[in-house]
Amino acid sequence: MFIMPVTNAQTHSTPTYLCKPIPALKKILASNASYTNSIRAIRLMLKILLVAALNHMPAQGETTPSAPKNTLKIGVIGPFTGPSADFGVPMRNGIELAVQEINAVGGYLGRQLDIVYKNDQATPDIGRKAAQELAAEKAVAVIGFCNTGVAAKSLDVFQTEKIPLIIPCATGTPLTAKYPAPESYIFRTSPRDSIQAPFVVDDIIKRNWTRVAIFADTTAYGEAGLADVEKALAAKKLTPVYVARFPLGVKDLSKELKTARAAGANVVYSYTVGPENAMIARGRQALGWKVPQVGGWPLSFPFFIDGGKESADGALMSQTFIAEPSNERRAAFLATYARKFKVKKITVPMAAAQGYDSVYLLIYALFGIQNGNITGPAIKDALESKLRTYYGVVATYEQPFSKEDKDAATRNMLVMGMVQNGSITFAYPEDAKRNLFVQRKQ
């Protein structure tokens, strides 16, 4: 294991103090033992690089193209107030937790990570304005977006300005497909709906729930999700028996539920992020229609669990991270999060964990830039290269991205979650056992 070399400005050679193998660091980074080892590893790496940078600053009058400044500006965009704050806030908290850990040991080569937060309020125009502001403020990279429609409105800002964007929450399939992969500056750590939908469809077929009614809102998220579910069903030679479309804010879906029941549906697949999920659950209960409700990860949100109460129990959804201390690194993350933010339960654990991992993937990429030239294209290239192995909370990452693939999450990282007594747990005991071992990208 070698520390990343920094090229001397005058000789163009690599200083030997940055090339010597560090036995202790090599031993820690080579270990799969625990999350604690991963944290120790990056802290040690950061400390070594910080000391090296400080001890080898250029003499007076000497210049270097990679001379560090005081801070490194990174943007964060998300819905921190409003109807999507229940997953925007834990995303922000996960990011903040990771940044605090990194800054505590010196940041990036002595430069503290300066996080600039922008609240998009789950509104596309506000999100776009936030993206433009971060570009004007010279953020070197941005982590953000929870809502597919909000993200979609802003993608061209990042692509045009060549600012890498890592999306830790929004799952709409089109987001990482808008630009040709080799040219794209849009990366994502959340599981796109085109892997979530087939995963859930496979599960409901296994349970013999094949007469599917789909309830999808008319947002970009609902539109893309509906297409993914219909495609997943078609792959199994199935078509939905009924499809309901509705705008956000609708107050009553009883007519649509009655139509779905009359069509003989034996499962309801819902695709929306707000209180409408709970409205569907309560509507089924009011009709005495005892069919299961399944969907993507929004069925793990408080809007559904708290809004649906007992009618939400038993609902099934895809998850990358369930807040159970199934191994040491996840237990450490949960305990640290609870202590820092003084909460007993994370409102949306997936959002927090994916936000946290996104920061570390970015910092690992930054350490892979050989000459310290922190530009958008350099960060993009580093993200697309093989990183030092990062033992994350959601997964273990070796090469999360490439020039041809901008999605870090793969299907093997998914498990089925189930609402039980107001919380999310594993739908299958075997998933709980499998969760002892953090998955790697396939």
Side-chain angles (χ1 to χ4, degrees):
M1 176 62 63
F2 292 83
I3 300 302
M4 287 67 69
V6 176
T7 303
N8 182 282
Q10 295 182 336
T11 66
H12 300 284
S13 62
T14 300
T16 57
Y17 70 89
L18 287 180
C19 291
K20 295 178 180 178
I22 309 297
L25 180 58
K26 182 177 180 181
K27 182 178 179 181
I28 291 171
L29 286 174
S31 170
N32 287 334
S34 68
Y35 171 89
T36 303
N37 276 347
S38 177
I39 295 299
R40 286 175 58 208
I42 193 164
R43 285 178 175 171
L44 179 56
M45 179 172 68
L46 288 164
K47 286 178 181 178
I48 291 169
L49 287 171
L50 174 59
V51 170
L54 293 177
N55 287 343
H56 294 267
M57 293 289 286
Q60 187 172 2
E62 192 178 353
T63 61
T64 172
S66 57
K69 298 179 181 179
N70 291 331
T71 61
L72 192 67
K73 185 174 292 186
I74 297 171
V76 173
I77 302 178
F80 309 135
T81 60
S84 293
D86 54 354
F87 63 125
V89 170
M91 179 198 77
R92 182 189 67 192
N93 289 349
I95 292 169
E96 185 179 328
L97 181 59
V99 168
Q100 178 181 283
E101 291 173 355
I102 293 166
N103 280 343
V105 293
Y108 172 72
L109 294 179
R111 299 170 69 175
Q112 293 283 286
L113 303 185
D114 177 20
I115 305 300
V116 180
Y117 293 100
K118 301 288 185 179
N119 181 5
D120 65 33
Q121 302 174 46
T123 303
D125 288 339
I126 296 175
R128 182 177 177 83
K129 183 173 182 290
Q132 292 168 332
E133 289 171 352
L134 287 172
E137 293 168 23
K138 305 300 181 184
V140 299
V142 174
I143 300 172
F145 295 112
C146 287
N147 304 90
T148 294
V150 181
K153 183 86 172 182
S154 301
L155 296 184
D156 65 300
V157 175
F158 301 101
Q159 188 70 15
T160 300
E161 299 294 334
K162 297 184 178 180
I163 300 172
L165 168 68
I166 301 178
I167 303 172
C169 282
T171 58
T173 299
L175 295 180
T176 46
K178 181 171 182 178
Y179 303 105
E183 303 165 18
S184 180
Y185 280 76
I186 313 303
F187 300 81
R188 174 163 46 194
T189 55
S190 55
R192 66 189 184 277
D193 291 324
S194 62
I195 64 172
Q196 288 195 63
F199 181 75
V200 175
V201 165
D202 283 352
D203 186 73
I204 63 178
I205 290 175
K206 183 169 66 175
R207 296 169 183 266
N208 202 32
W209 301 337
T210 56
R211 296 185 60 80
V212 184
I214 306 174
F215 279 64
D217 66 38
T218 52
T219 66
Y221 172 71
E223 192 73 31
L226 172 62
D228 286 328
V229 175
E230 289 183 323
K231 183 177 179 181
L233 288 171
K236 302 295 182 180
K237 295 182 171 50
L238 295 173
T239 56
V241 297
Y242 176 70
V243 175
R245 303 303 307 279
F246 54 88
L248 292 182
V250 65
K251 300 302 181 184
D252 184 14
L253 289 171
S254 58
K255 178 182 176 182
E256 289 82 356
L257 287 165
K258 288 177 181 176
T259 305
R261 182 175 62 178
N266 61 1
V267 62
V268 172
Y269 200 132
S270 58
Y271 239 98
T272 185
V273 298
E276 292 78 17
N277 269 324
M279 184 186 304
I280 293 167
R282 293 194 305 271
R284 289 188 297 103
Q285 185 182 52
L287 292 174
W289 188 30
K290 296 181 179 180
V291 295
Q293 185 170 345
V294 303
W297 73 305
L299 291 183
S300 68
F301 292 7
F303 260 135
F304 177 66
I305 297 173
D306 298 340
K309 300 189 185 320
E310 69 276 3
S311 66
D313 260 16
L316 298 166
M317 79 297 296
S318 52
Q319 297 278 277
T320 60
F321 176 74
I322 291 178
E324 294 187 11
S326 51
N327 57 47
E328 185 177 351
R329 71 189 80 162
R330 286 173 173 159
F333 169 76
L334 292 169
T336 305
Y337 186 105
R339 183 168 60 251
K340 176 174 174 58
F341 299 107
K342 298 178 174 57
V343 296
K344 292 183 179 179
K345 184 172 74 170
I346 307 175
T347 53
V348 181
M350 266 181 66
Q354 290 166 181
Y356 179 91
D357 279 356
S358 296
V359 176
Y360 272 100
L361 291 177
L362 176 59
I363 198 71
Y364 269 51
L366 290 174
F367 277 116
I369 297 175
Q370 300 292 309
N371 59 7
N373 184 25
I374 307 302
T375 64
I379 297 172
K380 174 183 180 293
D381 288 346
L383 284 167
E384 293 167 349
S385 302
K386 188 172 182 179
L387 308 177
R388 284 177 173 80
T389 301
Y390 167 53
Y391 302 103
V393 176
V394 172
T396 293
Y397 302 94
E398 293 166 328
Q399 186 166 5
F401 310 109
S402 70
K403 288 189 181 298
E404 299 298 332
D405 184 3
K406 297 302 190 287
D407 284 285
T410 47
R411 178 175 168 140
N412 64 300
M413 298 175 189
L414 298 177
V415 296
M416 287 301 294
M418 179 174 66
V419 180
Q420 189 174 77
N421 300 322
S423 295
I424 303 297
T425 189
F426 294 97
Y428 297 104
E430 55 266 35
D431 278 346
K433 293 177 182 177
R434 187 168 68 93
N435 205 51
L436 294 170
F437 305 96
V438 179
Q439 301 297 305
R440 293 173 184 259
K441 182 172 183 176
Q442 292 182 350

